[in-house]
């Protein structure tokens, strides 16, 4: 019966298809380009990966731009566009020489001037870039392929900064484009990366098309994270934005798309059972949630009350609500990410409701409502607010959980005003762990306060001193020791609470092979059968 | 009549002017900050302030409004704050799928609903009437997204005779175009079928009780002719009003259907722009919607002339 219905429908629809028989089919006459049709976690609207930290812009950056250095799977920074480099005896002068054959998509060769302008623009936007520029005395071209970076004093994160794998990545652009003011979108999408941006087919928020860059010369080393050979094995990659995940999952199962970057965890059992679909955890480093309190407004301007919050919550509750499946989640007290060189559990609080209540009393909590900004349209963050609200209520806090869309939250969290004038007390967000690996890159540890700190404006001179010490240190063992001390202090003063680590695997058709592990989804090395 | 049309067209200007002022003010008073969205997660307050100043968002609301209205008077809708693309281009890129879906939906709904409504009225009180009314209630009650998913499950996932999602322009072939519109059209037309069928039924029922119908029958005119020539024509005016309202609602109300079937239309552009606080795009799209509302209403008023010779403008 089922087959009969199917045949009947096919006949009816086939008759309708006859209408189109006379339509020209140019594609049949030519060899069809091998195309990966991918649905990413968001639509690309801003094409400048320096002006925004949005991960979709970073992913776009990896398609069309290249980097001087890149981080491999062992957390080692490897040369990428750079052929070789030297560091002077006094560790104050870095000299970089570019590889042969580097060419932008407009045909112009990549020069030292392009690299210098790109680093300077990135250094105005990115946290690690700003820190590097603080220590930089000058950036000078020696010749077209060689340039130097001179430091004011030794700085341990020069290569880690230039090879940082996540937002903002120091991508190299032509000088004429990199000279665009750092708060203004670049006017062209020209890089020297493995793919070229097809401007004519770009529809912001809907579709982005990349084609293979035939002039790209990959490195000879095997690919590892964002380092090594970036060998493109398909002709085109199309990013199509499907806002409805159910539709995207159906489209993947039906073979209408090849790649789905981050299907929600609820859909993974369906996808695991679908034929022709593979699940691949490309970002093994994962993602971490963050509970952030506002130090500017009472009651969280009081250290004891912040400590009370840290003792009232626990990661398992967050992960159970957010992810639910133990295969994809891991409680982790390390602010600098578990299983990485700076991982430590130093200072991590253990849930203690009695002590939390005691601290509330000692802190003089007066029962004022705590405004939690609760986004209702960002699925991965949605479960966090109610978990925190429940935990705070358990220790006797008065909670005002205010629902809003994510962009309202983004606008409101920038306000340093009192709560009754549009300010706030607490919000949740999440970060790709590649952004959190050390005290300089981890924005939650930035303790500059109202001037230059991350939203919530935590201010702590001791932490800032230790961050500087970490930046100056060149010995990894000593860096790890400083990171441990930073974490201890950060927990003690309540900088933020990590709500646990989890991974967000991708789903793809089995016809795709060679998908790489990396902190960001990359499309080189992927072949399509 | 020419004067009527010109007058109505001229009336669109003040309507759009009022809409422009209201939309502009509402957007500026709504929470959210495009500068903070642009700046990203790690931006400092200073960086956000710099972006706000570059976008002119730090200016007084009146100055921002005058600047926008000045450009609008020259036919410039501005550029997207987020993507930097001209608003007119963004709208033109998105208008085709929405118009295609609206057209197929209204055509299908009218072709199905009017005969259903007439049959229900003709066999008033019988099982036919009850069945049509039951279908209407169902059409009103089933949420669009539920029906959409069910159709996708049946036709795309199980039978695999139609694609799940996407849009292909008619220039790339009639079948590729139609195959991607069948399920969205079925999904979206159900509620309009329900609405038009019910209106047609009640309107025809009312007319069937009129004296001139009895007179027509007394003159020996066949029942079919009574129905089509005398009843339906006189019942058409309210039905056309509902169809017109449906067209206007469709153009702006296809958001859910566009999302479920991944159609890159104006509905999604509107929602995306609202979520990103992309003021120029929201303003441009709403102005377009208001102009379309006025024009559709004008077209409906003119259509009345075809069915009711007593109407004069």
């Amino acid at each position: 019966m089922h087959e009969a219905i199917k045949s009947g429908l096919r006949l009816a629809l086939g008759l309708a298809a006859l209408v189109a028989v006379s339509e020209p089919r140019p594609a049949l006459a030519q060899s069809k380009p091998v195309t990966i049709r991918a649905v990413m976690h968001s639509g690309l609207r801003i094409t400048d990966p320096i002006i925004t930290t949005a991960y979709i812009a970073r992913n776009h950056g990896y398609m069309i731009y290249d980097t001087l250095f890149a981080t491999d799977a062992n957390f080692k920074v490897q040369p990428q566009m750079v052929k070789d480099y030297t560091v002077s005896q006094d560790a104050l002068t870095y000299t970089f020489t570019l590889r042969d054959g580097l060419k932008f998509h407009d045909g112009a060769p990549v020069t030292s001037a392009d690299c210098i302008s790109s680093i300077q623009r990135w250094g105005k936007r990115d946290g690690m870039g700003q820190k590097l520029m603080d220590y930089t005395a000058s950036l000078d071209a020696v010749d077209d392929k060689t340039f130097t970076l001179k430091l004011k004093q030794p700085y341990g994160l020069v290569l880690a900064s230039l090879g940082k794998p996540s937002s903002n990545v120091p991508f190299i652009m032509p000088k004429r484009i990199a000279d665009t003011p750092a708060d203004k979108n670049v006017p062209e999408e020209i890089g020297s990366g493995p793919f070229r941006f097809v401007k004519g087919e770009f529809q912001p928020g809907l579709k982005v098309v990349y084609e293979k860059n035939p002039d790209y010369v990959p490195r000879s080393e095997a690919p590892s994270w964002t380092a090594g050979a970036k060998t493109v094995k398909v002709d085109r990659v199309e990013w199509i934005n499907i806002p409805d995940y159910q539709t995207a999952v159906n489209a993947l199962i039906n073979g209408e798309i090849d790649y789905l970057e981050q299907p929600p965890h609820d859909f993974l059992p369906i996808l695991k059972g679908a034929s022709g679909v593979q699940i691949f955890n490309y970002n093994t480093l994962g993602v971490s949630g963050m509970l952030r309190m506002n130090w500017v407004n009472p009651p969280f301007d009081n250290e004891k009350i912040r400590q009370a919050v840290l003792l009232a919550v626990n990661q398992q509750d967050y992960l159970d609500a957010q992810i639910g499946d133990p295969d994809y989640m891991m409680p982790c007290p390390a602010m600098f990410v578990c299983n990485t060189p700076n991982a430590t559990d130093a200072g991590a609080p253990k849930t203690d409701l009695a002590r939390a209540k005691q601290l509330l009393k000692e802190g003089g909590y007066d029962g004022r409502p705590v405004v939690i900004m609760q986004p209702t349209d960002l699925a991965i963050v949605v479960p966090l607010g109610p978990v925190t609200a429940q935990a705070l209520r358990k220790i006797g806090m008065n909670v005002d959980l205010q629902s809003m869309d994510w962009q309202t939250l983004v606008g409101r969290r920038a306000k340093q005003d009192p709560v009754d004038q549009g300010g706030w007390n607490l919000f949740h967000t999440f970060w790709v762990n590649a952004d959190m690996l050390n005290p300089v890159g981890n924005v939650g540890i930035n303790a500059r306060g109202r001037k230059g700190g991350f939203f919530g404006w935590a201010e702590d001179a001791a932490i800032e001193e230790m961050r500087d010490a970490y930046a100056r240190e060149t010995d990894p063992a000593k860096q790890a020791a400083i990171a441990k001390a930073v974490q201890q202090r950060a927990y003690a003063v309540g900088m933020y609470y990590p709500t646990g680590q989890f991974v967000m695997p991708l789903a793809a058709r089995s016809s795709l092979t060679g998908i790489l592990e990396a902190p960001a989804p990359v499309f080189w090395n992927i072949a399509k059968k | 009549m020419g004067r009527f049309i010109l007058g109505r067209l001229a009336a669109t200007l003040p309507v759009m002017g009022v809409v422009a002022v209201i939309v502009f003010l509402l957007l500026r008073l709504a929470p959210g900050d495009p500068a903070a969205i642009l700046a990203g997660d790690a931006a400092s307050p200073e960086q956000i302030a710099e972006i706000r100043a570059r976008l002119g968002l730090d200016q007084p609301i009146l100055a921002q409004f005058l600047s926008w209205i000045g450009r609008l008077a020259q036919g410039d809708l501005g550029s997207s704050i987020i993507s930097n693309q001209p608003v007119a281009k963004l709208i033109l890129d998105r208008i085709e799928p929405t118009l295609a879906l609206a057209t197929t939906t209204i055509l299908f709904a009218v072709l199905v609903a009017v005969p259903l409504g007439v049959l229900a009225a003709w066999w008033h009180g019988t099982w036919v009437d009850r069945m049509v009314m039951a279908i209407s209630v169902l059409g009103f009650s089933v949420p669009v997204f539920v029906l959409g998913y069910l159709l996708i499950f049946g036709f795309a996932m199980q039978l695999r005779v139609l694609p799940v999602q996407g849009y292909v322009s008619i220039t790339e072939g009639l079948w590729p175009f139609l195959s991607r519109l069948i399920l969205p059209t079925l999904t979206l037309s159900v509620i309009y079928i329900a609405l038009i069928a019910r209106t047609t039924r009640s309107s025809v029922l009312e007319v069937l009780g009129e004296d001139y119908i009895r007179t027509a029958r007394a003159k020996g005119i066949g029942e079919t002719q009574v129905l089509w020539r005398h009843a339906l024509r006189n019942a058409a005016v309210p039905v056309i009003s509902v169809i017109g309202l449906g067209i206007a609602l469709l153009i702006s109300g296809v958001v859910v259907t566009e999302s479920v079937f991944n159609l890159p239309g104006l509905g999604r552009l509107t929602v995306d722009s609202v979520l990103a606080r992309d003021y120029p795009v929201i303003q441009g799209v709403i102005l377009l919607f208001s102009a379309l509302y006025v024009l559709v209403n004008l077209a409906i008023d003119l259509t009345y002339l075809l069915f009711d010779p007593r109407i004069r403008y």
Side-chain angles (χ1 to χ4, degrees), chain A residues 81-328:
Chain A
M81 294 171 80
V82 163
K83 182 175 155 197
D84 47 49
Y85 68 97
T86 58
V87 186
S88 64
Q89 286 278 319
D90 58 5
L92 289 177
T93 303
Y94 285 69
T95 304
F96 305 106
T97 305
L98 297 172
R99 281 198 285 140
D100 294 327
L102 300 179
K103 213 189 265 186
F104 286 114
H105 301 155
D106 60 2
V110 179
T111 65
S112 301
D114 301 315
C115 299
I116 290 170
S117 286
S118 298
I119 293 169
Q120 285 170 334
R121 183 168 190 264
W122 162 78
K124 287 178 187 149
R125 297 289 303 177
D126 179 67
M128 280 185 82
Q130 288 165 359
K131 201 86 176 166
L132 176 62
M133 289 300 110
D134 287 347
Y135 282 83
T136 298
S138 68
L139 274 159
D140 304 295
V142 176
D143 58 40
D144 273 357
K145 288 175 64 180
T146 308
F147 66 99
T148 58
L149 184 152
K150 288 183 181 144
L151 296 168
K152 295 171 190 163
Q153 55 179 299
Y155 184 65
L157 298 176
V158 173
L159 299 185
S161 302
L162 295 176
K164 75 184 289 243
S166 194
S167 296
N168 301 95
V169 179
F171 293 117
I172 301 302
M173 305 173 177
K175 178 174 165 35
R176 65 188 161 81
I177 296 173
D179 284 344
T180 306
D183 62 352
K184 197 176 171 198
N185 213 359
V186 290
E188 290 176 85
E189 293 78 14
I190 302 280
S192 63
F195 291 93
R196 292 193 300 215
F197 181 77
V198 183
K199 188 144 192 142
E201 295 189 52
F202 177 48
Q203 291 180 282
L206 281 185
K207 188 180 179 186
V208 202
V209 177
Y210 304 96
E211 59 187 16
K212 180 179 181 171
N213 173 13
D215 294 332
Y216 187 76
V217 183
R219 293 188 69 90
S220 55
E221 299 91 342
S224 173
W225 273 20
T226 53
K230 296 180 177 178
T231 308
V232 175
K233 298 179 178 174
V234 294
D235 301 309
R236 276 164 70 93
V237 175
E238 295 177 2
W239 288 1
I240 306 144
N241 185 23
I242 301 183
D244 186 283
Y245 271 114
Q246 179 68 64
T247 303
V249 165
N250 288 339
L252 181 70
I253 293 170
N254 240 20
E256 293 173 32
I257 59 169
D258 304 299
Y259 182 108
L260 178 54
E261 187 194 348
Q262 284 175 356
H265 293 87
D266 294 351
F267 286 101
L268 291 176
I270 298 169
L271 287 164
K272 271 182 182 170
S275 91
V277 174
Q278 57 176 318
I279 306 289
F280 183 75
N281 182 21
Y282 70 95
N283 180 7
T284 49
L285 208 52
V287 177
S288 286
M290 175 186 274
L291 178 161
R292 183 72 168 180
M293 289 172 273
N294 187 349
W295 285 38
V296 169
N297 287 327
F300 298 134
D301 56 347
N302 184 314
E303 187 173 310
K304 287 197 170 173
I305 296 178
R306 293 196 300 270
Q307 287 170 347
V309 171
L310 264 53
L311 291 171
V313 294
N314 78 77
Q315 291 192 343
Q316 193 64 46
D317 289 346
Y318 288 110
L319 290 169
D320 285 343
Q322 194 179 24
I323 310 297
D325 187 335
D327 287 349
Y328 302 112

Side-chain angles (χ1 to χ4, degrees), chain A residues 6 9 19 45-46 53 124-125 130 183 206 241-242 244 247 254 256 405 407-408 413 454-455, chain B residues 37-39 41 47 54 82-83 94 149 156 159-160 163-165 174 260 262 264 268 272 275 277:
Chain A
K6 200 168 167 176
L9 275 164
V19 177
R45 294 174 180 85
I46 304 170
T53 53
K124 287 178 187 149
R125 297 289 303 177
Q130 288 165 359
D183 62 352
L206 281 185
N241 185 23
I242 301 183
D244 186 283
T247 303
N254 240 20
E256 293 173 32
D405 68 289
Q407 300 303 359
T408 297
R413 74 179 175 181
F454 180 60
F455 309 104
Chain B
I37 295 166
L38 263 179
D41 283 340
Q47 287 173 328
R54 183 174 58 73
I82 305 297
S83 69
R94 304 289 194 100
Y149 287 142
L159 299 170
R160 293 185 178 249
V164 171
Q165 53 83 41
L174 187 58
V260 168
N262 190 33
R268 270 181 63 193
D272 289 349
L275 290 176
R277 307 296 187 271

